Amino acid sequence: MFAALALSLPLQAFCGQPPCDVYTQKAPPPQETSTCAVVQLGFGLISKDRPKRAEKLFDIALKRTTQDHDQFLEAHAYRGLSDALFLEGEYPASKADAEKALRIFLDLKDAHATALMRDDLGLIAIQN
């Protein structure tokens, strides 16, 4: 049972860092400026069909995650950037970012996110 639980939790849960909730539409507090908050705000803009603004936030998050070596948020920033580019009809660029996210999620052994990315890649292929 514990092995199944371990496989379903993101790596950060075992590293002592609180996981960033990137799946719900819950907005972070206005004063929050962490990379997690930037990614959450980006996904909030995606849900409001504001891909250009979201794209800027995901670019900021990617710069931060490179400095912080945070693969979990890096992958989700690529996932968000892919979503934004998809909404803009930029399918080849969306696919490239989705593939980057997928590679990282596979390395992190994040089954949930891996499944999401494979689904996204399927949608991109249909649109292409």
Side-chain angles (χ1 to χ4, degrees), residues 56-75:
K56 292 176 186 175
L57 289 176
F58 293 125
D59 284 335
I60 290 168
L62 283 171
K63 288 177 187 152
R64 288 184 182 183
T65 59
T66 300
Q67 294 169 349
D68 299 341
H69 306 289
D70 187 335
Q71 288 186 304
F72 177 79
L73 286 177
E74 176 186 12

Side-chain angles (χ1 to χ4, degrees), residues 20-26 36-50 54 57-58 73 75-84 105 117 120:
C20 177
D21 182 4
V22 292
Y23 296 111
T24 63
Q25 302 294 316
K26 185 178 174 186
C36 177
V38 172
V39 171
Q40 288 172 327
L41 288 171
F43 281 114
L45 289 171
I46 292 288
S47 72
K48 294 176 184 172
D49 199 26
R50 295 184 176 164
L57 289 176
F58 293 125
L73 286 177
H76 283 288
Y78 277 123
R79 178 174 74 90
L81 191 54
S82 174
D83 288 353
F105 288 133
M117 294 319 304
D120 284 358

